[in-house]
Amino acid sequence: MIRSDYLIIGSGIAGLSLALKASKNGSVSLVTKKKLFDSATGKAQGGIACVTDESDSFEAHIRDTIISGAGLCNEKMVEKMVVEGPERIKELIALGVKFTKKKDSDSEFELALEGGHGKRRILHAGDITGNEIERVLIRNIEKHKNITVYEHYTAIDLILDKDRICRGVYVFDNENNNTEIFEAKITILTCGGAGKTYLYTSNPDVATGDAVAMAYRAGADIANMEFVQFHPTCLYSSDAKSFLISEAVRGEGAVLKLKDGGSFIEKYSPQKELAPRDIVARAIDNELKSRGEKFVYLDITVRSKDFLMKRFPNIYAKCLEYGIDISKDMIPVVPAAHFFCGGVVIDENGRTSIKNLYAAGETACSGVHGANRLASNSLLEGVVYADRVYKDSLQFLGKEYSEANVKPIDNIKFSVNESAVFAQKKEEEVRRLTWDYLGISRSNEKLLKAQEEADILKVEIEQYFKEVPFTADGIELRNMMFITEMIVRSAVQRKESRGLHFNTDYPFLLPDAKDTLINIR
Ligand code: SIN
């Protein structure tokens, strides 16, 4: 049994920034299923949207966020994110994060533009912003005695007592094949999203929706799981696994083109390449399907090699590895699953519907993204709502810890031959199902098929999970299956097309915008 004041699951911007603050007041166990660095934050390219320029305003950032959210943003939560953003950015800078400054300036940031933003307001560190933030947070974490890091530990399920208060988490030690009990006064879920549930994704392999699945199984309220954001421009290549071509490239003038060189985006939005992401991704999807083609092109050859190497060093180098010189060649791109706007419902302090359980970042549904997240708002949401969790958590610290009498779980089960092969096969089936039936464009028939296949998979995977000793892959497979079930349940509830959810049988907006709420209580 491992006990601490705070138990934080996940090591992206929300988990790490919270751990640093929490460690000032209590002991922190920080659990992550691979290395600390393995998170979606570490891969974020574009940046972090925040009002820092005098010509910008909170009102404008709030307005852009709400327009992008297609009528479903929680305006109070958006306002908190936007208004508290600058303070959180100052904290990151004080910890050592270096955002790119304007040429010849020590103080002024070079601000990027991305889809849906009315002006340049995105702080970035070249095109490896998440990497820079993650690197600095980890360096600071390593200095803290009050934080114990558990790498290669995979959370299995939440532990709730008879009063339905969260007492911690059952965790699998990947390297020693043991299960452990982690108890804590408060548990915080910051495990990111579930892009890996889809066959094609910009996300790292760790994005298997573990926290949302655990919270769902424990009976927490979950909302808006149908709003899966597809990033319009991932590199199309059989070798370049999930490599993103940042929206900031379009912000610097890149245009979308068909194979024959013709343009198409103006048919879909007057904002063209810088329309909100749902519109651009759907436009590309539509062109690909109607033409029977596999990719479109992104063309940034209007910019010089010098500019591109300086502004997008990572993208430039990565594309070159695949034989594409982006200063001369067009980049083949396709949409891929990128971000979940839904998740575990939280209030303004990050509390979930289960006592002593908090969530922040992509795992949570705070309502700031509504039906379609505005580009580069996710790192901002993570750092702002992690801070709100921290402030709210202070009330627990004076309290005595009471024994929960948690029973260990049995990991010694009879082994089924070829279980690893089964897990791999079922994972492919889950990811193919989501891609085929729960993708950019849905229909009632597709949703029905998804439901039928998901029901069969659920029985098979739950049986497997009961019979076979835990493995990290088995735990992830089960979580991806639950995420699929949640997407289907939410998508079936929504009888309209809004933001990221497009159903050809209901191609209209209903007058009343409502969240889709699900739970299994
Ligand atoms: C990108 O760089 O295009 C991704 C930014 C985001 O998802 O907000």
Side-chain angles (χ1 to χ4, degrees), residues 183-351:
E183 269 193 67
K185 286 183 185 165
I186 57 167
T187 300
I188 307 100
L189 302 175
T190 56
C191 303
K196 190 71 198 299
T197 310
Y198 281 80
L199 197 55
Y200 302 108
T201 177
S202 64
N203 289 188
D205 287 347
V206 290
T208 53
D210 305 335
V212 184
M214 286 195 300
Y216 177 66
R217 287 193 292 270
D221 286 341
I222 311 289
N224 293 352
M225 289 296 283
E226 72 278 33
F227 296 124
V228 180
Q229 184 168 71
F230 288 77
H231 196 290
T233 57
C234 287
L235 181 61
Y236 175 83
S237 153
S238 49
D239 306 327
K241 195 176 159 203
S242 56
F243 187 71
L244 193 71
I245 308 294
S246 174
E247 194 150 320
V249 178
R250 275 175 280 139
E252 297 299 346
V255 290
L256 289 162
K257 288 189 176 162
L258 295 165
K259 256 187 170 168
D260 62 10
S263 64
F264 60 94
I265 195 69
E266 62 284 351
K267 283 192 291 183
Y268 298 87
S269 166
Q271 287 163 285
K272 298 188 188 167
E273 278 79 5
L274 291 177
R277 240 175 232 180
D278 56 331
I279 297 173
V280 181
R282 224 165 16 249
I284 297 176
D285 187 59
N286 196 34
E287 293 295 326
L288 294 181
K289 289 200 174 122
S290 61
R291 291 165 190 274
E293 287 180 357
K294 290 203 160 69
F295 56 84
V296 294
Y297 284 113
L298 188 65
D299 183 355
I300 184 71
T301 55
V302 63
R303 291 290 197 165
S304 72
K305 185 169 174 162
D306 265 10
F307 173 85
L308 293 171
M309 285 175 73
K310 210 176 275 161
R311 176 64 183 88
F312 301 113
N314 180 39
I315 295 173
Y316 186 87
K318 191 73 172 182
C319 287
L320 209 52
E321 266 178 47
Y322 296 101
I324 305 159
D325 175 347
I326 66 171
S327 68
K328 295 199 204 111
D329 307 322
M330 298 198 288
I331 314 166
V333 290
V334 277
H338 183 60
F339 187 89
F340 275 65
C341 295
V344 186
V345 176
I346 57 164
D347 69 9
E348 62 191 59
N349 296 312
R351 296 182 190 191

Side-chain angles (χ1 to χ4, degrees), residues 53-104:
D53 190 77
E54 272 178 17
S55 67
D56 198 2
S57 68
F58 291 145
E59 292 72 32
H61 189 182
I62 291 169
R63 192 174 53 242
D64 290 345
T65 301
I66 288 172
I67 291 173
S68 188
L72 216 59
C73 289
N74 179 325
E75 296 189 14
K76 187 180 77 180
M77 302 291 265
V78 173
E79 189 181 327
K80 291 188 191 313
M81 174 182 76
V82 168
V83 172
E84 292 170 22
E87 274 309 303
R88 304 290 81 80
I89 294 293
K90 279 188 200 148
E91 289 168 0
L92 288 176
I93 292 169
L95 286 170
V97 174
K98 291 194 175 20
F99 292 113
T100 303
K101 302 252 177 67
K102 276 189 184 154
K103 208 167 152 231
D104 304 326

Side-chain angles (χ1 to χ4, degrees), residues 34-35 151-154 172-178 472:
K34 291 217 167 136
K35 301 285 285 175
E151 290 182 323
H152 302 291
Y153 279 72
T154 305
F172 179 66
D173 172 350
N174 304 353
E175 288 182 334
N176 296 306
N177 294 329
N178 289 330

